[in-house]
Amino acid sequence: MSWQEMVLQRHENGTVSLVGEAPQRMRVARELLDEADSAFVTLNDSGDIMLTLTNAVLWYRRVGPVDGDPRQIEFERVG
């Protein structure tokens, strides 16, 4: 499977927007989630994430660790 990179752009006014299309599946380093700005990344009790961007709201369901490595988490887009 080829992986598409999600490109987010932070604007001078502090807002964040999606450039291009959101991928159906993505891998995220646990460290990035831990350091993410809570203004636009919400993590629920199940480990799913919601990205609240200037031009989109995206839900991703947690699939699980990548190859058993808890430092890399795979997500699948919902809706």
Side-chain angles (χ1 to χ4, degrees):
M1 169 185 282
S2 66
W3 291 93
Q4 172 188 343
E5 183 176 339
M6 184 185 306
V7 180
L8 301 177
Q9 181 177 15
R10 184 177 293 273
H11 304 281
E12 289 181 18
N13 65 1
T15 61
V16 177
S17 61
L18 175 68
V19 178
E21 296 209 18
Q24 284 303 113
R25 292 176 81 88
M26 66 177 179
R27 293 177 174 181
V28 179
R30 179 79 220 181
E31 180 180 339
L32 288 177
L33 287 178
D34 292 343
E35 296 173 359
D37 185 341
S38 62
F40 74 94
V41 177
T42 305
L43 188 65
N44 70 12
D45 292 340
S46 300
D48 303 333
I49 58 174
M50 179 177 71
L51 304 175
T52 306
L53 308 172
T54 305
N55 60 345
V57 174
L58 307 170
W59 273 103
Y60 281 89
R61 180 182 59 81
R62 184 178 198 270
V63 175
V66 176
D67 299 327
D69 183 354
R71 295 172 298 170
Q72 292 284 324
I73 303 169
E74 187 170 338
F75 292 92
E76 182 175 59
R77 189 163 175 204
V78 177

